[in-house]
Amino acid sequence: MKKSNQLRKNNQLRYKNFTAVIGLEVHIELSTKSKMFCGCSADHFGRLPNTQVCPVCLGLPGALPYVNKEALLSTLKLGLAFGAQVNNFSKFDRKHYFYPDLPKGYQISQYDIPLSQGGKIGEIRIRRIHLEEDTAKLVHQTLDGKKVSLIDFNRSGVPLVELVTEPDFNDPKDVVGFVKEVQLIARYLGISSADMEKGSMRLEANVSVAKDAKVPDYKVELKNINSFKFLEKAIVLEIARQIKLITSGEAVVQETRGYDEAKGTTFSQRTKEEAQDYRYFPEPDIPPLRFSDELVKEISRSLPELPDQVRKHLISEYGVRADYSEIILADRKRVEFFEKAAGLGREENISPTLIAELMVNKNMDKDFPEATGLIKRILELTRRQYAKANAVEKAVKKVVRENQKPVNDYGQGKVAVLGFLIGLVQKELKGKGDSKMIKDLLVVELEK
Ligand code: ADP
Ligand code: ZN
Ligand code: MG
């Protein structure tokens, strides 16, 4: 709470009395075996175009869709991970619009009763999470000197989750933090790779700027942003653009804008001054959905440990530094490795913070893919360190024993002889001693 107020304040300072208002729409492609409404493979990335298609996902007349249960369960899991309310009754609706990547003329989506509503990450409220089908992919190419657009239907009908937030963000940095957490949660749940590069996670940011606490009655939608870095940059640029317009007395046009990384600007793609009418109506070919309270409870119970629980665990139970714990928990496999190593280390008096340090700074979990390997290595290093210290200690004792004159001088306050004694110990160790260790042990011995 405090942190966000601080952010809001910083933001207002930065934006000279304007507050940025941002809401997100996040699309996540589910990694189910088959598509949303047919039996074709949903694993489409990098496949030969139009090889994973059938009458249903090609949108041929008369083809009948049937629902993928795994996709429903995955979407409910995601909602429950955010603490959302699952709707016991839900349904699919047809959303009509014309575009070459949508041959049916409508997308099967969900309108007024999404699978789940509500839920939060930190202070950001999630409005709804619904399930729909992905569209085909348009591939723009130059063929025989002509510009053509080709259609690949492998993606058509792949289950697509849409998560919509309330316009609760005021800082572009928080937006990135949020989407990273959504990505992590989807991965922990094992429902999607949520890779931005592969398009399995796609982001749209709605941006407006306010002079008071009210949410403005317009918004600009930023689309086709394919990295976290660009998302933040695009929002920052868009906020500045809008403030400039408003400050000079102009109105901001409600429109969809893209982001041009090379030019460092957002640019108009499509103005939509009136809301588009999709003529939604219930999908007549798919029976309504019912989810019992028992089923919802069962799914809740089956959820794995989520990133935030792991985060708390690493920090408060193991004492791992916050920045290190973020690096470890970014990959579920590293968390498992860490926990195993920490368990083994406990028996050998190896601290979990040392394990975390070696994993993050020295990448030691890569060198030793098994936790036991890492522990063995740490023990070996500690033993070698011991052996070294032993040798130095012996040499120090010998030098002190055999050089009474300088030792007495030191005792009488002539600390300058320390350098001379260090030299003798080095000679004893044939120059292989660590001078800091020699000095430390020598001082201990001299002050006995
Ligand atoms: P629409 O009806 O056009 O889809 P919604 O009100 O459903 O618009 O909101 C869609 C998205 O836009 C949500 O993520 C929401 O948080 C965000 N949003 C709504 N109003 C604003 C605003 N004034 N500024 C920024 N984002 C907004
Ligand atoms: Zn199909
Ligand atoms: Mg949608």
Side-chain angles (χ1 to χ4, degrees), residues 29 35 40-53 57-58 134-137 151-158:
E29 247 180 21
K35 291 188 182 178
C40 296
S41 170
D43 182 10
H44 65 90
F45 189 79
R47 296 302 159 97
L48 197 64
N50 298 310
T51 52
Q52 303 184 160
V53 294
C57 56
L58 284 170
D134 208 346
T135 58
K137 198 176 170 149
I151 310 179
D152 176 7
F153 283 92
N154 285 350
R155 196 181 72 179
S156 171
V158 167

Side-chain angles (χ1 to χ4, degrees), residues 21-25 127 164-168 206-208 215-219 254 272:
V21 178
I22 308 154
L24 277 185
E25 288 160 274
R127 182 183 290 176
V164 183
T165 76
E166 294 295 339
D168 283 351
N206 298 276
V207 181
S208 62
V215 173
D217 58 4
Y218 78 93
K219 63 186 190 302
Q254 171 129 336
K272 44 173 182 183

Side-chain angles (χ1 to χ4, degrees), residues 154-351:
N154 285 350
R155 196 181 72 179
S156 171
V158 167
L160 193 64
V161 169
E162 181 172 334
L163 179 157
V164 183
T165 76
E166 294 295 339
D168 283 351
F169 300 93
N170 301 109
D171 187 318
K173 280 210 167 56
D174 292 349
V175 176
V176 174
F178 177 91
V179 290
K180 280 189 177 165
E181 194 71 6
V182 171
Q183 181 182 59
L184 210 50
I185 290 171
R187 288 177 178 171
Y188 271 52
L189 292 172
I191 62 169
S192 173
S193 67
D195 281 324
M196 295 277 292
E197 317 83 67
K198 290 185 182 167
S200 26
M201 179 154 146
R202 290 169 240 158
L203 311 167
E204 284 152 34
N206 298 276
V207 181
S208 62
V209 294
K211 273 201 158 172
D212 47 31
K214 266 184 270 155
V215 173
D217 58 4
Y218 78 93
K219 63 186 190 302
V220 169
E221 192 179 9
L222 297 176
K223 268 199 160 162
N224 302 324
I225 299 166
N226 53 16
S227 81
F228 293 141
K229 206 173 80 195
F230 292 172
L231 173 70
E232 189 176 338
K233 280 191 181 174
I235 296 173
V236 168
L237 285 168
E238 181 55 25
I239 293 167
R241 188 188 72 89
Q242 291 186 16
I243 290 177
K244 208 170 152 198
L245 279 174
I246 295 172
T247 313
S248 59
E250 286 175 68
V252 180
V253 179
Q254 171 129 336
E255 61 183 349
T256 301
R257 295 178 75 87
Y259 169 66
D260 187 331
E261 162 68 5
K263 289 198 188 131
T265 55
T266 64
F267 61 93
S268 178
Q269 286 187 316
R270 179 157 56 93
T271 53
K272 44 173 182 183
E273 310 214 9
E274 297 155 48
Q276 206 173 341
D277 185 356
Y278 293 116
R279 309 247 158 180
Y280 279 103
F281 67 70
E283 167 59 61
D285 288 337
I286 300 173
L289 310 160
R290 283 177 200 283
F291 305 104
S292 67
D293 289 338
E294 287 70 45
L295 176 72
V296 174
K297 265 187 216 141
E298 202 184 303
I299 301 170
S300 288
R301 275 196 299 266
S302 76
L303 293 183
E305 201 178 24
L306 293 166
D308 204 41
Q309 290 166 280
V310 173
R311 187 174 285 128
K312 288 188 178 122
H313 207 64
L314 290 179
I315 295 173
S316 53
E317 202 164 308
Y318 290 106
V320 176
R321 278 168 48 168
D323 52 345
Y324 286 4
S325 68
E326 282 312 304
I327 295 169
I328 292 173
L329 69 85
D331 184 347
R332 198 46 250 180
K333 282 199 208 91
R334 290 192 108 185
V335 176
E336 276 156 31
F337 182 97
F338 172 81
E339 280 174 344
K340 240 182 236 157
L344 292 166
R346 197 174 299 135
E347 296 157 23
E348 307 281 358
N349 266 329
I350 299 169
S351 77

